[in-house]
Amino acid sequence: MMATLAELATLVQGEVRGDPTVQVERVASIDQATEGDITFVANPKYLARLKDCRASAVIVAPGVAVGDRDVLVAANPYLAFARVLAFLHGSSEQNPGVRPGAQVADSATIDSTATIYPGCVIGERVVVGPRSVVHPGVCLYADVVIGSDCLLHAQAIVREGCQLGDRVILQPGAVIGSDGFGFAPDGSGYFKIPQIGIVVLENDVEIGSNSCVDRATLGETRVRRGTKVDNLVQIGHNVDLGEDCIIVAQVGLAGSSRIGNHCTFGGQSAVAGHLKVGDHITIGARGGISGNLEAPHQVLSGVPLMPHKEWLRSAMTLPKLPEMRKNLQQLKKRVTELETLLKEDGCA
Amino acid sequence: MMATLAELATLVQGEVRGDPTVQVERVASIDQATEGDITFVANPKYLARLKDCRASAVIVAPGVAVGDRDVLVAANPYLAFARVLAFLHGSSEQNPGVRPGAQVADSATIDSTATIYPGCVIGERVVVGPRSVVHPGVCLYADVVIGSDCLLHAQAIVREGCQLGDRVILQPGAVIGSDGFGFAPDGSGYFKIPQIGIVVLENDVEIGSNSCVDRATLGETRVRRGTKVDNLVQIGHNVDLGEDCIIVAQVGLAGSSRIGNHCTFGGQSAVAGHLKVGDHITIGARGGISGNLEAPHQVLSGVPLMPHKEWLRSAMTLPKLPEMRKNLQQLKKRVTELETLLKEDGCA
Amino acid sequence: MMATLAELATLVQGEVRGDPTVQVERVASIDQATEGDITFVANPKYLARLKDCRASAVIVAPGVAVGDRDVLVAANPYLAFARVLAFLHGSSEQNPGVRPGAQVADSATIDSTATIYPGCVIGERVVVGPRSVVHPGVCLYADVVIGSDCLLHAQAIVREGCQLGDRVILQPGAVIGSDGFGFAPDGSGYFKIPQIGIVVLENDVEIGSNSCVDRATLGETRVRRGTKVDNLVQIGHNVDLGEDCIIVAQVGLAGSSRIGNHCTFGGQSAVAGHLKVGDHITIGARGGISGNLEAPHQVLSGVPLMPHKEWLRSAMTLPKLPEMRKNLQQLKKRVTELETLLKEDGCA
């Protein structure tokens, strides 16, 4: 794909400073860009690197001076970079259809513009929508519904009856609809509770590699519109995860937790079961939500959760603990001596 | 599936209060139940919701009043719910056999009542027992033994020589028998230690989605009867995990740890290598076992582990640390002043 | 495979004490060894167990007395054990070639000595080198390059354009080259940033079961020569992980972190994004690197990181926190009383 700086300016609603006819065909980092590439500087501290940069054009924020280069000025250079990247490097499946070596049940409905790669197994009554691409080894159990423009990477699995909206992306090995972890003690051991609910992934949801979203015991587990889930994340049965959330790698959301919209959970953080979390809650890496958290717009870290800045102070104190303990003991001794002294002498 | 309330009472050894001839065909939650559904109230705080509930019957504990509804009284309503769910919604494979598109080695022995789905690859000398169901994309390496009534979900992997008992369930993407993580420094780098042992999963074990159970270096890694393992759990080489344990998501059990029976490990908790853990040990979420723990019947949390209630107190103190440190410093100053004062004046 | 003690002594550059003609064919643990087995004692505390051991030979360190047994003396018994294990139990694919049921694109180049198992899907222009073995269900996207003597286990996935060196091992379900987790807020929701870079795994790298190595946004994510990665590890986009590192299970390396050589990260530890970590850094289990760490040769634990011994002391203090807090309050009271007393009486 190729474009002039002027065309890209239109794409990102920016302005050209310099020659609008400059041709660019690729996006590259400052250090690796060569002629024909466009690069970007979102962070002023990297401006110095531009001196030796051989890119044909640069995306910068308004008011950023980069000498006499050909420049694409955009209010949000990072977003503009993303849009240009998608425009120049975005690919669409050239050759749709069900490939030889895919196994599709007769009762399945595959849109004629969808692509099913070899090694896929598509179960009874499955529906795959327009322009969706299903990579090798994907397994869709019976009664699964896949919307339009979805991208299911190799060996993603969607179990019986689960539903994906439009533009849903599953990275390789993602598991949608595995049994929730539910067992009833029966006196001798554990009786497995059948998990007969489903999982619903709404439009524009992305689930990372080898992440797991368990089906509900009854009803549904739901991930709402626009939420992005990183790799190796666990989402338990009957979770309701809100819209436009960012769930970083290795997070665990225990069963029946209800998370609001626009939440961001840092890596390895966790939410205990059956909790309510409000909107716009940000949890630092490895933070642990162990109680309801309904007031919106909080930035919290640690276990127990504290406002992030308090947590930083608290954490910085941890290395001092042994010294604090020693001081405390010495102080106790000194105070006792003072007390004795005062009792003994004439002062008391 | 359909049943009368009387039939279900027999199934769960409970009693009918009301009309024993009421027909139910599905289980549903209080909020979603409609006519023909049976619901349950395990937790009294949800009793209020029954007012508007349209279920045909309700499972409750003895002595719980729910007006003039048709009721199934069971000593353990949660267990009764699970049993009814399994009875009404349990499915068995209608159409056993090796499906077209499955690749089975000539030397493999597949019971005539077992089901092998398309896209499976079954290696040399593998044995699959009666009524076991192997979903698409499952790979069984050479010499694997699968017992009877097992359920292997899509893309589960069992590597060479590993053995599954009866009624074992593997959720999608579970990996049984991958190499243990063993390397010997050879001066320049690391020399891989071949892992020639196996994994044994005893009867009624369940392993969650994308969880990993590593094969032993020599001998075996064993998960004992009735133990349930959630998603994304790591079980290292030569681990011996006892009977009827509950291992919640994202737990890590390091190599050669020996865990007793009836243990419960909360999400993201961990056990260091080569440790012994006794029976009936419960570890809170993210707790870390870093030493032997042989005394049974303990409930522990934190790092280092403490009795759960002590851990709660300790955790609650963390936010106070900066203030404690400040107080300590001020106190030190005040005590020094007192000491000086007493030295100076006539008292000392 | 079978060998005399003398042959094994040559293999491990050790010495025979006793009969050099003794035949051994297997390696076994002290407790399970029988005739024809060789066992080893790396740790003196296990010497006692040798008394009842039926092994035909024992690997020990110089100067270790084990009675009148036939012994293989090696400077590093653990390494010698590993080498003997590889020699006696190492297998090489007997029957190379592309097996029926594998789907290989016409434009792919598979070396005649490589093995492609059934159920594999090999994309356009893929190259698989000499003696590499690709197990069932592996998916190699277009333009992937696999070196020589690689071992790709069942359902490992390598996405478009990623490159593996020689002797690389992927355990089952490992995902190489999934999209990095990058999104640009666009005012309403998140705009996905196309990830057009690749992953490079250098020679002798091993990646564990269901671990994920994300492709770079631009450029490459790189894991350098000889580094070993355990199961369920997350390696973010644009990470540069050095040579001969050991990354234990469930570790998370956030995007763009640059890790030096000879680092060892304990289970569930983590590195935040965009950080530099020097050579020979060892991080204890669940330690968290939240800032640059460029000075080499450190052993650190905890959050925040501290020298490991300090962390142990600090951790041991945590259970004392509630008591410390109480003491501090009492002490404050006593000091105040002293101060009052001194003000009141004639001393002040």
Side-chain angles (χ1 to χ4, degrees):
Chain A
M1 193 68 191
M2 204 156 192
T4 64
L5 210 45
E7 291 167 327
L8 295 181
T10 312
L11 175 76
V12 304
Q13 294 152 297
E15 288 173 11
V16 177
R17 206 190 304 148
D19 176 0
T21 68
V22 170
Q23 294 274 346
V24 296
E25 42 187 323
R26 292 174 310 274
V27 180
S29 65
I30 294 180
D31 306 335
Q32 288 163 345
T34 61
E35 190 168 351
D37 293 344
I38 185 166
T39 189
F40 79 111
V41 183
N43 185 333
K45 78 179 175 189
Y46 296 127
L47 274 172
R49 294 204 199 156
L50 272 176
K51 196 167 50 55
D52 312 321
C53 177
R54 300 176 42 227
S56 298
V58 189
I59 304 170
V60 296
V64 174
V66 296
D68 59 358
R69 288 177 163 283
D70 296 313
V71 169
L72 173 47
V73 181
N76 180 342
Y78 190 56
L79 178 58
F81 153 74
R83 289 223 164 96
V84 169
L85 199 51
F87 180 77
L88 294 179
H89 296 270
S91 69
S92 67
E93 196 54 48
Q94 297 311 317
N95 173 18
V98 176
R99 304 284 169 86
Q103 323 225 21
V104 180
D106 298 343
S107 57
T109 307
I110 312 297
D111 187 274
S112 61
T113 60
T115 305
I116 311 291
Y117 274 90
C120 294
V121 179
I122 312 292
E124 300 293 342
R125 297 170 303 279
V126 167
V127 176
V128 177
R131 296 171 305 282
S132 287
V133 176
V134 182
H135 277 278
V138 166
C139 176
L140 306 180
Y141 281 52
D143 302 301
V144 162
V145 177
I146 307 293
S148 60
D149 301 290
C150 290
L151 176 57
L152 277 55
H153 274 291
Q155 278 140 22
I157 295 159
V158 185
R159 272 187 52 189
E160 62 275 22
C162 295
Q163 301 169 9
L164 276 59
D166 301 333
R167 298 174 304 280
V168 170
I169 298 175
L170 301 184
Q171 293 294 332
V175 175
I176 309 304
S178 43
D179 288 349
F181 196 63
F183 302 91
D186 64 4
S188 61
Y190 291 97
F191 185 91
K192 180 176 173 70
I193 300 169
Q195 305 288 305
I196 67 168
I198 63 169
V199 173
V200 178
L201 304 180
E202 296 185 352
N203 295 344
D204 302 298
V205 163
E206 178 164 345
I207 304 292
S209 299
N210 288 335
S211 286
C212 306
V213 184
D214 281 352
R215 68 197 307 107
T217 309
L218 304 172
E220 60 185 37
T221 302
R222 183 171 286 263
V223 179
R224 296 181 185 272
R225 188 199 47 73
T227 284
K228 314 300 184 184
V229 175
D230 200 352
N231 301 339
L232 296 167
V233 168
Q234 158 69 359
I235 299 181
H237 50 178
N238 296 86
V239 164
D240 185 326
L241 178 55
E243 299 184 350
D244 295 315
C245 293
I246 294 287
I247 309 297
V248 178
Q250 298 175 318
V251 164
L253 308 181
S256 301
S257 50
R258 307 182 72 73
I259 316 295
N261 301 328
H262 306 288
C263 290
T264 300
F265 291 175
Q268 298 183 346
S269 60
V271 179
H274 299 271
L275 297 181
K276 275 214 181 89
V277 177
D279 297 340
H280 294 282
I281 300 290
T282 297
I283 303 296
R286 217 179 274 167
I289 301 184
S290 52
N292 290 324
L293 205 69
E294 303 195 43
H297 293 286
Q298 300 188 64
V299 180
L300 306 161
S301 289
V303 178
L305 283 170
M306 324 167 204
H308 184 68
K309 283 178 180 163
E310 285 179 33
W311 173 77
L312 287 174
R313 278 194 295 273
S314 164
M316 285 311 135
T317 314
L318 289 175
K320 315 286 187 196
L321 280 182
E323 181 204 350
M324 281 172 67
R325 186 152 178 252
K326 204 160 118 274
N327 287 343
L328 191 53
Q329 286 156 343
Q330 291 170 342
L331 211 51
K332 218 165 157 180
K333 202 156 146 296
R334 287 163 64 186
V335 169
T336 309
E337 283 166 7
L338 284 172
E339 289 166 335
T340 327
L341 190 62
L342 280 170
K343 263 202 223 65
E344 285 165 358
D345 73 23
C347 298
Chain B
M1 193 69 191
M2 204 155 193
T4 64
L5 209 46
E7 290 167 327
L8 296 181
T10 312
L11 175 76
V12 304
Q13 294 151 297
E15 288 173 12
V16 176
R17 208 189 303 148
D19 176 1
T21 69
V22 170
Q23 295 275 344
V24 295
E25 41 186 325
R26 292 174 310 273
V27 179
S29 63
I30 294 180
D31 306 334
Q32 287 163 344
T34 60
E35 191 170 348
D37 294 343
I38 186 167
T39 190
F40 79 111
V41 183
N43 186 335
K45 78 179 175 191
Y46 296 125
L47 274 173
R49 294 203 200 157
L50 273 177
K51 196 166 51 55
D52 312 320
C53 176
R54 300 176 41 228
S56 299
V58 188
I59 304 170
V60 295
V64 176
V66 295
D68 59 359
R69 287 177 162 285
D70 295 313
V71 169
L72 171 48
V73 181
N76 180 342
Y78 190 56
L79 178 59
F81 154 73
R83 290 225 163 95
V84 170
L85 199 50
F87 180 76
L88 294 179
H89 296 270
S91 69
S92 67
E93 196 52 50
Q94 297 312 317
N95 173 17
V98 176
R99 305 283 170 85
Q103 322 227 19
V104 180
D106 298 343
S107 57
T109 308
I110 312 297
D111 187 273
S112 61
T113 60
T115 305
I116 311 291
Y117 274 89
C120 293
V121 179
I122 311 292
E124 300 292 340
R125 298 171 302 281
V126 166
V127 176
V128 177
R131 297 170 305 281
S132 287
V133 176
V134 182
H135 279 278
V138 167
C139 175
L140 306 180
Y141 282 52
D143 302 302
V144 162
V145 177
I146 308 293
S148 60
D149 301 290
C150 291
L151 177 56
L152 277 56
H153 274 291
Q155 279 141 21
I157 295 159
V158 185
R159 274 188 49 190
E160 61 275 22
C162 295
Q163 301 168 10
L164 277 60
D166 301 334
R167 298 173 303 280
V168 170
I169 297 175
L170 302 183
Q171 293 293 333
V175 175
I176 309 303
S178 44
D179 288 350
F181 196 63
F183 303 90
D186 64 4
S188 63
Y190 291 97
F191 185 90
K192 179 175 174 70
I193 299 169
Q195 306 287 307
I196 67 168
I198 63 169
V199 172
V200 178
L201 304 181
E202 295 186 354
N203 296 344
D204 302 298
V205 163
E206 178 164 345
I207 304 293
S209 299
N210 289 335
S211 286
C212 306
V213 184
D214 281 352
R215 67 197 308 107
T217 309
L218 304 172
E220 61 185 37
T221 303
R222 183 171 286 264
V223 179
R224 296 182 185 273
R225 188 198 48 71
T227 283
K228 314 299 185 184
V229 174
D230 200 351
N231 301 341
L232 296 167
V233 169
Q234 157 70 358
I235 298 181
H237 50 177
N238 295 86
V239 163
D240 186 326
L241 178 54
E243 299 183 350
D244 294 314
C245 293
I246 293 288
I247 309 297
V248 178
Q250 298 175 317
V251 165
L253 307 181
S256 300
S257 50
R258 308 181 71 75
I259 316 295
N261 302 329
H262 306 288
C263 291
T264 300
F265 291 174
Q268 299 183 344
S269 60
V271 180
H274 298 270
L275 298 181
K276 276 213 181 90
V277 177
D279 298 339
H280 295 282
I281 301 290
T282 297
I283 303 295
R286 218 180 273 168
I289 301 183
S290 53
N292 290 324
L293 207 67
E294 303 194 44
H297 294 285
Q298 301 187 64
V299 181
L300 305 161
S301 290
V303 178
L305 284 170
M306 326 167 202
H308 183 69
K309 283 177 181 163
E310 286 180 32
W311 174 76
L312 286 175
R313 277 194 295 272
S314 164
M316 286 311 135
T317 314
L318 291 174
K320 314 286 186 195
L321 281 182
E323 180 203 350
M324 282 172 66
R325 187 152 177 251
K326 203 160 119 274
N327 287 341
L328 192 54
Q329 284 156 344
Q330 292 169 341
L331 210 51
K332 216 164 158 180
K333 200 156 146 296
R334 287 163 62 186
V335 169
T336 308
E337 284 166 9
L338 284 171
E339 288 167 336
T340 326
L341 188 62
L342 281 167
K343 262 202 223 65
E344 284 166 357
D345 73 20
C347 299
Chain C
M1 190 70 190
M2 203 157 195
T4 65
L5 210 45
E7 290 167 327
L8 296 180
T10 312
L11 175 76
V12 304
Q13 295 152 295
E15 288 173 11
V16 176
R17 207 189 303 148
D19 176 0
T21 68
V22 170
Q23 295 274 346
V24 295
E25 43 186 322
R26 292 173 311 273
V27 180
S29 64
I30 295 181
D31 307 333
Q32 288 165 343
T34 61
E35 191 169 351
D37 293 344
I38 186 168
T39 190
F40 79 112
V41 183
N43 185 334
K45 79 179 175 187
Y46 296 126
L47 274 172
R49 295 204 200 156
L50 272 176
K51 195 168 50 54
D52 312 318
C53 175
R54 299 175 45 228
S56 298
V58 189
I59 304 170
V60 296
V64 174
V66 296
D68 60 357
R69 287 177 163 283
D70 296 313
V71 169
L72 172 47
V73 181
N76 179 342
Y78 190 56
L79 177 59
F81 153 74
R83 289 224 163 96
V84 169
L85 198 50
F87 180 75
L88 294 180
H89 297 269
S91 70
S92 66
E93 195 54 48
Q94 297 311 317
N95 174 17
V98 176
R99 304 284 171 84
Q103 323 226 20
V104 180
D106 297 344
S107 58
T109 308
I110 313 296
D111 187 274
S112 61
T113 60
T115 305
I116 311 292
Y117 274 89
C120 293
V121 179
I122 312 292
E124 300 293 340
R125 299 171 301 280
V126 167
V127 176
V128 177
R131 297 171 304 281
S132 287
V133 176
V134 182
H135 277 279
V138 167
C139 176
L140 306 179
Y141 281 53
D143 303 300
V144 162
V145 177
I146 307 292
S148 60
D149 300 291
C150 291
L151 177 56
L152 277 55
H153 274 292
Q155 279 140 20
I157 295 159
V158 186
R159 274 187 51 188
E160 61 274 24
C162 295
Q163 301 168 10
L164 276 60
D166 301 333
R167 298 174 302 281
V168 170
I169 298 175
L170 302 183
Q171 293 293 331
V175 175
I176 309 304
S178 44
D179 287 351
F181 196 62
F183 302 90
D186 63 6
S188 61
Y190 291 97
F191 186 91
K192 180 176 174 69
I193 299 169
Q195 305 287 307
I196 68 167
I198 63 169
V199 172
V200 178
L201 303 181
E202 295 185 353
N203 295 344
D204 302 298
V205 163
E206 178 165 345
I207 304 293
S209 300
N210 289 336
S211 286
C212 306
V213 184
D214 281 352
R215 67 196 309 107
T217 309
L218 304 172
E220 59 184 40
T221 303
R222 183 171 285 263
V223 179
R224 295 181 185 273
R225 188 198 48 70
T227 283
K228 315 298 185 185
V229 174
D230 200 352
N231 302 341
L232 296 168
V233 169
Q234 157 70 357
I235 299 181
H237 50 176
N238 295 86
V239 164
D240 185 327
L241 178 54
E243 299 184 350
D244 295 314
C245 294
I246 293 287
I247 309 298
V248 177
Q250 298 174 318
V251 165
L253 308 181
S256 301
S257 51
R258 308 181 71 75
I259 316 294
N261 301 327
H262 306 288
C263 291
T264 300
F265 292 174
Q268 299 183 342
S269 61
V271 180
H274 298 272
L275 298 181
K276 274 212 181 90
V277 177
D279 298 339
H280 294 281
I281 300 290
T282 298
I283 303 295
R286 217 178 276 168
I289 301 184
S290 52
N292 291 323
L293 206 68
E294 304 195 43
H297 293 285
Q298 301 187 64
V299 181
L300 305 161
S301 290
V303 178
L305 284 169
M306 328 168 200
H308 183 68
K309 283 178 182 165
E310 286 179 33
W311 173 76
L312 286 175
R313 278 194 294 273
S314 164
M316 286 312 135
T317 314
L318 290 176
K320 315 286 186 194
L321 281 183
E323 181 203 351
M324 282 172 66
R325 186 148 178 256
K326 201 158 121 275
N327 287 340
L328 192 53
Q329 286 155 343
Q330 292 170 341
L331 210 51
K332 216 163 157 182
K333 199 154 148 295
R334 287 162 63 186
V335 169
T336 309
E337 284 166 6
L338 284 171
E339 288 167 336
T340 326
L341 189 63
L342 281 169
K343 264 201 222 66
E344 285 167 356
D345 73 22
C347 299

